[in-house]
């Protein structure tokens, strides 16, 4: 009996590590498949709009209806989740989405497509809140080194694998068959979510929130420079990414004259570039002595991408712009996430704000790009988008780059954040 005692702690630790590893693999698999389905549906909805011969603004309305509904549904979804079962909610809304995508390709006009996509967005907001809540609850056990895995995997599915799958399905089977396969994938996700997600995350979530100190109200948060900078550049990033995401297929078809089945590559290259940064360059960027210069350089890369998209309608140039945009958006997100993690703020409140701002920015970006494209031409939209980026860069980076001053005083607030239980 005494001989077995020394091995019990090791066995418990090993079992704990095995359980965490198994959870992470199942959760990341669920996230990847979910992202693939969302990305595939973006392509399906865009090509359905083209099939209905819509204008640029109508196409933007179809695309942004889902994002707008996700923004409106985020706070109610959090309330519903706090009083419900993540497993039941995820499975229920996934089955509802399966039914919706069975109906979409048979709708008669773009208004009906936009309306159903709005309802789809409400369902997806519940799924996102459920998955992000579960991940945040388990993240302290998994380690901060895994913090970028959820978003990186989701983007990999949404912006790379999903568009490629949607494009392939349409080329091989047709538009309606693509929607039916998407519906089947939502049904599969309902089953997988039932297996992976827990029945209740409320106790852990509440314990974490009670202990978190720091600024919580919007007024208090906006007094902190790091919060102001993060909010501004996250809004600009979502504004820009949504505009390019909606119209990258049109750029490839109408400007570059690519075949329809090749047009998805602009979106895919951008998504893959962003994912590579999130999954593999986090330590390099965040631990660098020049992280502030890399941060400002990322925003310059985004501006360079917009300039190329507006001025040089060439296949190689547009692919290079997609790479620059993906890299810039990836570094932007890494630094913003790390800055907020180290700041003395209520992390849950900031996360909710960033989710809402990102979705609202994405919706506004798509709608504004659609209207401007109808008025000024598609390529000119990207030149117009340069103005807010340039103004923000000059205000927050220009003087520091000219002086080559040390980074902002994030290290001085790090002990406060690190001391939070």
């Amino acid at each position: 009996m005494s001989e077995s005692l020394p091995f019990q702690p090791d066995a418990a630790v090993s079992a704990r590590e095995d359980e965490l590893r198994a959870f992470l693999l199942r959760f990341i698999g669920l996230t990847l498949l979910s992202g693939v389905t969302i990305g595939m549906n973006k392509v399906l909805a865009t090509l359905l709009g083209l099939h209905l011969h819509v204008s640029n603004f109508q196409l933007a309305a179809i695309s942004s209806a889902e994002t707008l509904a996700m923004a409106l549904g985020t706070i109610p979804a959090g309330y519903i989740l706090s009083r419900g079962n993540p497993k039941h909610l995820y499975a229920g809304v996934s089955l509802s989405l399966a039914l919706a995508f069975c109906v979409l390709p048979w709708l008669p006009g773009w208004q009906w497509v936009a309306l159903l996509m709005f309802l789809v967005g409400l369902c997806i907001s519940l799924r996102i809140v459920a998955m992000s809540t579960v991940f945040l609850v388990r993240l302290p056990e998994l380690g901060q080194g895994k913090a970028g895995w959820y978003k990186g995997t989701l983007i990999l599915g949404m912006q790379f694998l999903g568009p490629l799958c949607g494009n392939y399905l349409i080329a091989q089977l047709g538009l309606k068959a693509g929607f039916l396969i998407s519906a089947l994938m939502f049904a599969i996700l309902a089953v997988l979510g039932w297996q992976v997600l827990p029945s209740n995350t409320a106790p852990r979530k509440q314990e974490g929130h009670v202990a978190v100190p720091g600024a919580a109200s919007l007024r208090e948060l906006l007094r902190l420079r790091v919060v102001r900078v993060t909010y501004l550049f996250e809004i600009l990033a979502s504004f820009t990414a949504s505009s390019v995401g909606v119209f990258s297929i049109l750029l490839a078809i109408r400007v570059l004259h690519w075949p329809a089945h090749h047009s998805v590559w602009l979106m895919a290259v951008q998504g893959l570039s962003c994912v590579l940064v999130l999954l593999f360059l986090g330590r390099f960027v965040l631990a660098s002595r020049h992280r502030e210069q890399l941060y400002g350089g990322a925003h310059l890369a985004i501006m360079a991408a917009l300039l190329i998209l507006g001025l040089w309608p060439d296949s190689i140039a547009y692919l290079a712009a997609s790479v620059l945009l993906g890299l810039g958006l990836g570094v932007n997100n890494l630094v913003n996430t790390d800055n907020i993690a180290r700041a003395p703020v209520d992390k849950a409140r900031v996360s909710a704000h960033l989710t809402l701002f990102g979705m609202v920015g994405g919706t506004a970006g798509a709608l504004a790009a659609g209207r401007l494209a109808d008025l000024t031409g598609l390529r000119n939209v990207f030149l117009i988008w340069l103005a807010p980026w340039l103004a923000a860069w000059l205000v927050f980076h220009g003087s520091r780059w000219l002086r080559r001053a040390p980074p902002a005083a994030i290290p001085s607030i790090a002990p406060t954040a690190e001391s939070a239980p």
Side-chain angles (χ1 to χ4, degrees):
M1 182 72 177
S2 61
E3 294 179 356
S4 64
L5 289 177
F7 296 95
Q8 288 179 354
D10 291 341
V13 170
S14 177
R16 183 68 170 169
E17 291 177 350
D18 290 343
E19 188 272 330
L20 288 174
R21 189 179 301 111
F23 166 78
L24 182 62
L25 290 175
R26 293 195 303 267
F27 186 85
I28 291 302
L30 180 67
T31 302
L32 181 60
L33 185 58
S34 180
V36 167
T37 307
I38 295 172
M40 189 170 73
N41 294 336
K42 283 287 186 184
V43 175
L44 291 171
T46 299
L47 295 180
L48 178 59
L50 293 176
H51 177 73
L52 296 173
H53 305 292
V54 299
S55 68
N56 289 329
F57 178 74
Q58 290 166 348
L59 181 62
I62 290 173
S63 177
S64 60
E66 179 183 352
T67 308
L68 175 62
M70 290 167 63
L72 295 175
T74 298
I75 292 178
Y79 176 79
I80 294 171
L81 182 65
S82 68
R83 304 171 68 87
N85 186 316
K87 180 186 294 188
H88 293 168
L89 288 170
Y90 188 92
V93 297
S94 295
L95 291 176
S96 300
L97 288 167
L99 178 62
F101 275 81
C102 287
V103 174
L104 260 172
W106 280 271
L107 294 176
W110 73 270
Q111 300 94 331
W112 294 103
V113 174
L115 177 60
L116 190 53
M117 290 303 293
F118 183 85
L119 298 177
V120 165
L122 292 178
C123 291
I124 289 179
S125 66
L126 273 167
R127 284 160 40 98
I128 289 175
V129 171
M131 291 191 68
S132 61
T133 300
V134 170
F135 187 73
L136 288 174
V137 166
R138 300 302 300 269
L139 184 58
E141 303 168 78
L142 297 170
Q144 287 300 121
K146 305 293 190 301
W149 284 32
Y150 172 63
K151 184 164 187 177
T153 306
L154 192 63
I155 293 176
L156 177 63
M158 289 174 58
Q159 296 189 14
F160 184 72
L161 297 177
L164 292 181
C165 290
N167 191 60
Y168 177 80
L169 288 174
I170 293 169
Q172 299 297 318
L173 304 175
L175 188 60
K176 291 182 178 179
F179 276 98
L180 293 177
I181 292 174
S182 179
L184 176 62
M185 292 179 68
F186 276 121
I188 293 172
L189 283 168
V191 176
L192 293 178
W194 188 273
Q195 298 293 324
V196 174
L197 299 180
S199 298
N200 192 348
T201 61
R204 289 185 180 182
K205 183 179 178 183
Q206 289 170 353
E207 288 172 11
H209 284 184
V210 169
V212 175
S217 71
L218 183 59
R219 179 176 296 181
E220 290 176 332
L221 289 168
L222 291 178
R223 289 182 184 143
L224 300 176
R225 183 182 186 278
V226 65
V227 174
R228 295 196 302 272
V229 173
T230 298
Y231 281 10
L232 173 63
F233 283 115
E234 281 294 310
I235 291 171
L236 285 176
S238 62
F239 204 83
T240 304
S242 68
S243 303
V244 177
V246 170
F247 292 107
S248 59
I249 292 177
L250 287 185
L251 282 171
I253 294 175
R254 296 179 181 176
V255 177
L256 300 178
H257 307 294
W258 287 6
H261 61 283
H262 290 162
S263 60
V264 75
W265 276 103
L266 284 182
M267 183 190 299
V269 167
Q270 177 200 327
L272 184 60
S273 302
C274 185
V275 167
L276 290 175
V277 172
L278 289 172
L279 294 183
F280 301 110
L281 294 184
R283 181 171 297 179
F284 169 79
V285 171
L286 299 178
S288 172
R289 292 186 307 156
H290 307 291
R291 61 179 276 164
E292 285 298 315
Q293 284 73 23
L294 291 172
Y295 189 43
H299 299 151
L300 286 176
I302 293 171
M303 287 189 279
L306 293 172
L307 193 64
I308 292 171
L309 291 172
L311 295 181
W312 288 282
D314 175 77
S315 296
I316 299 299
Y318 273 20
L319 287 171
S322 296
V323 172
L324 284 173
L325 186 60
L327 294 176
L329 291 173
V331 172
N332 177 73
N333 183 261
L334 277 176
V335 176
N336 287 341
T337 301
D338 187 64
N339 283 347
I340 289 298
R342 301 165 65 192
V345 297
D346 184 328
K347 306 301 189 292
R349 191 66 58 87
V350 172
S351 296
H353 290 162
L354 289 175
T355 300
L356 276 176
F357 293 162
M359 290 179 179
V360 171
T363 303
L367 289 174
R371 176 56 68 191
L372 288 171
D374 287 336
L375 295 174
T376 67
L378 187 57
R379 288 164 51 197
N380 290 329
V381 172
F382 304 107
L383 299 178
I384 294 172
W385 273 192
L386 276 171
W389 274 106
L390 183 59
W393 193 92
L394 290 173
V395 170
F396 291 104
H397 296 304
S399 59
R400 182 179 298 129
W401 274 43
L402 290 174
R403 296 193 313 264
R404 294 192 178 275
I410 297 297
S412 64
I413 63 176
T416 304
E418 290 172 0
S419 63

